[in-house]
Amino acid sequence: MDSITTSLVTLLQGVCVIMVLAYGLTRTRVFAEILDGRRTPKNLAVMAVVFGAFSIYGTVSGVSLLGSYINIRDLGPALAGLLAGPLAGLGAGLLGGAHRFTLGGPTCHGCALSTVVAGLAGGLVYRVRDGRLPTTVQAVALALGIEAFHMAAGLFLGTPMATALIIVRSAVVPMLVANALGMAVFVVIVRNVLEERRTRVAKEAIEGELRVARDIQMSIVPRMFPAFPDRPEVELYAMLDSAKEVGGDFYDYYALDEDRIFFVIGDVAGKGVPASLFMAVTMTLFKAYARPERSSVEVLARVNDKLSRDNETGLFVTAFCGVLNLRTGRLDYANAGHNLPVAIRADGATAFLPRSGGLVLGAVPDFPYKTTSLTLAPGDTLVVYTDGVTEAMDREHALFGNERLLEACRGDRRRAPKVLVEDIVAAVRAHAGDAPQSDDITILAVRYQGRQTVATPLDRPAGSGI
């Protein structure tokens, strides 16, 4: 019993070495071609040589007994056949068998023959299963069958038979266990590799779809500036930077009539695909309900009622929308739980707008939103943003916060909206440093110019960087 245990431990050590080497093989280009079903003379030859070398190692790492070897030699050819078909199995079997034959001994004929048969048996299973990897149980059954044949061939072709019988009795348990275990472990390794490949392919497909979704989402958000080239009374600029491929932030603007423009900015609670779909629906509703005869609060109420009905997802939207009269500078706005905008006056005074109340969109139907008014003088700017700005964090999780936002807005009051937005984004990124972006960043700036407009020297040309 002690000698059988010792032999088994030795064979299992050899199995471990072969499994480590085989795992390295699974990461090679040749192995990937085999798994893809692209069998060529070159990669079949490589498989035959490599697994033939495993077979030879299975012999030399075995236990010598009466001129023969207790070994895991059949493992290499059988695996070559399972993975690449009969030709690879036969090649590996011939290499391992020829090496064993040169060593001689009472069982050399049966052992050499069984090694070749092991490769052909693996190849036969490959053919029967049309190249599909067997289950772990099937692989163990194959290994046991191969080793049973090995024992029979060694016994009946061995000379003298009495010596062959002693060798077979000592080898049967260690070889059955070690080869079956090695076959099972390798099949598990390959199955994990196949699953990893399927996962990677699925991930790449999803990433491709998300890139397309991002392109579609960004095409929904207007990005043509100047926003109103035929209306010198107003300058508007906006930007959106998603934390993921797609996000829930949005902004929009359009002319209601000759004297009034409508603009909106919003943030869907959540990230990713669900938020982006909810964002697209919300944008569509704003565009559908914004009409010259409706105030900002009426538009907000209609969007809220529509989103609140059958909102099984539980998603909601914070939003700020306003109607700016280009003749008078009067801004009528409504706030649905959104961050307070910043008003930058022409004289340099900078402050958040007062709280006006208002529940998020999509939570409660028939909510009574309130209209608030503000008069913008020529040169005044309004900055509207999402919480991705104030909640941007650095490595120590410190927030950008309201005070840093006000400080970024307090620069030269003559800055064009584009320059202002870029400066705020630059301040946010400088604060965050190399910390990952945790939320979408969206900023919209509107500067009321009035009837008389004068270009300022600090207005950077279109296309300038931050």
Side-chain angles (χ1 to χ4, degrees):
M1 182 61 69
D2 289 341
S3 62
I4 292 177
T5 302
T6 301
S7 298
L8 178 59
V9 170
T10 301
L11 296 192
L12 290 179
Q13 290 174 342
V15 169
C16 291
V17 173
I18 290 179
M19 290 303 106
V20 171
L21 296 175
Y23 178 79
L25 177 65
T26 64
R27 303 296 165 176
T28 64
R29 180 177 57 84
V30 170
F31 194 84
E33 292 175 353
I34 293 295
L35 291 183
D36 289 336
R38 292 179 288 144
R39 297 189 303 156
T40 65
K42 179 180 178 180
N43 59 37
L44 288 178
V46 170
M47 294 292 285
V49 170
V50 170
F51 283 95
F54 289 170
S55 181
I56 293 172
Y57 174 80
T59 300
V60 299
S61 64
V63 178
S64 178
L65 178 64
L66 301 177
S68 290
Y69 299 87
I70 302 173
N71 62 84
I72 51 171
R73 180 176 54 253
D74 298 337
L75 189 59
L79 291 176
L82 281 180
L83 293 172
L87 289 179
L90 176 62
L94 288 173
L95 288 174
H99 172 264
R100 172 63 186 90
F101 187 78
T102 61
L103 299 178
T107 60
C108 71
H109 293 87
C111 289
L113 174 63
S114 67
T115 303
V116 176
V117 170
L120 291 176
L124 177 62
V125 172
Y126 177 93
R127 289 292 191 192
V128 171
R129 293 185 57 80
D130 196 25
R132 291 177 291 112
L133 195 68
T135 66
T136 305
V137 173
Q138 291 170 338
V140 169
L142 174 63
L144 293 176
I146 289 173
E147 293 315 302
F149 177 83
H150 191 145
M151 297 300 110
L155 180 61
F156 291 107
L157 297 180
T159 55
M161 181 171 287
T163 303
L165 180 59
I166 295 173
I167 295 171
V168 168
R169 283 176 176 174
S170 300
V172 61
V173 173
M175 290 181 63
L176 284 172
V177 173
N179 281 278
L181 182 62
M183 186 78 77
V185 170
F186 190 74
V187 167
V188 170
I189 290 175
V190 176
R191 285 195 174 279
N192 287 338
V193 171
L194 291 172
E195 183 61 28
E196 179 184 302
R197 286 161 59 88
R198 284 192 290 268
T199 301
R200 184 169 63 249
V201 170
K203 181 181 177 182
E204 290 173 352
I206 292 173
E207 289 175 347
E209 292 174 356
L210 287 176
R211 284 192 293 269
V212 173
R214 178 181 174 83
D215 292 341
I216 294 173
Q217 182 182 25
M218 295 307 295
S219 69
I220 297 174
V221 177
R223 290 184 294 171
M224 295 296 294
F225 300 101
F228 304 101
D230 57 340
R231 301 310 303 263
E233 300 94 333
V234 66
E235 269 190 89
L236 184 149
Y237 184 79
M239 64 82 64
L240 189 160
D241 183 15
S242 296
K244 295 186 176 182
E245 287 81 359
V246 289
D249 279 14
F250 66 91
Y251 66 83
D252 207 350
Y253 52 82
Y254 22 87
L256 295 177
D257 53 34
E258 292 183 358
D259 292 323
R260 294 181 301 162
I261 65 168
F262 177 90
F263 63 89
V264 61
I265 187 170
D267 181 6
V268 178
K271 301 178 182 68
V273 174
S276 70
L277 293 174
F278 209 73
M279 160 264 190
V281 171
T282 306
M283 278 192 68
T284 302
L285 291 175
F286 270 108
K287 193 178 289 290
Y289 291 138
R291 292 288 182 267
E293 68 275 9
R294 292 178 185 149
S295 66
S296 57
V297 73
E298 289 177 300
V299 175
L300 208 60
R302 287 175 179 263
V303 172
N304 175 62
D305 291 344
K306 188 67 174 178
L307 290 177
S308 299
R309 295 194 188 99
D310 302 321
N311 185 8
E312 297 179 357
T313 63
L315 294 175
F316 59 86
V317 186
T318 68
F320 179 94
C321 66
V323 176
L324 177 62
N325 190 310
L326 302 184
R327 248 182 341 103
T328 65
R330 178 186 173 90
L331 174 67
D332 295 321
Y333 64 88
N335 193 330
H338 200 73
N339 300 76
L340 298 178
V342 178
I344 307 172
R345 297 296 186 174
D347 61 5
T350 302
F352 291 103
L353 295 188
R355 294 188 179 277
S356 57
L359 192 64
V360 295
L361 303 176
V364 177
D366 301 320
F367 184 85
Y369 292 97
K370 298 178 181 179
T371 299
T372 308
S373 297
L374 171 72
T375 299
L376 298 178
D380 287 354
T381 302
L382 187 72
V383 178
V384 198
Y385 55 94
T386 60
D387 59 11
V389 174
T390 52
E391 295 180 4
M393 294 184 292
D394 61 13
R395 281 291 181 185
E396 283 69 43
H397 302 289
L399 299 179
F400 183 72
N402 291 335
E403 289 305 316
R404 288 188 178 89
L405 174 59
L406 287 177
E407 188 62 31
C409 292
R410 286 190 184 113
D412 197 301
R413 64 182 183 275
R414 296 172 297 169
R415 285 176 295 178
K418 181 177 188 296
V419 178
L420 176 60
V421 169
E422 291 172 344
D423 287 347
I424 295 173
V425 172
V428 171
R429 289 176 177 164
H431 169 75
D434 59 354
Q437 183 178 334
S438 59
D439 201 357
D440 303 338
I441 295 176
T442 306
I443 307 173
L444 183 148
V446 182
R447 182 165 71 173
Y448 179 63
Q449 301 278 49
R451 289 297 184 182
Q452 301 297 322
T453 60
V454 179
T456 64
L458 292 184
D459 289 1
R460 296 179 192 165
S464 61
I466 293 176

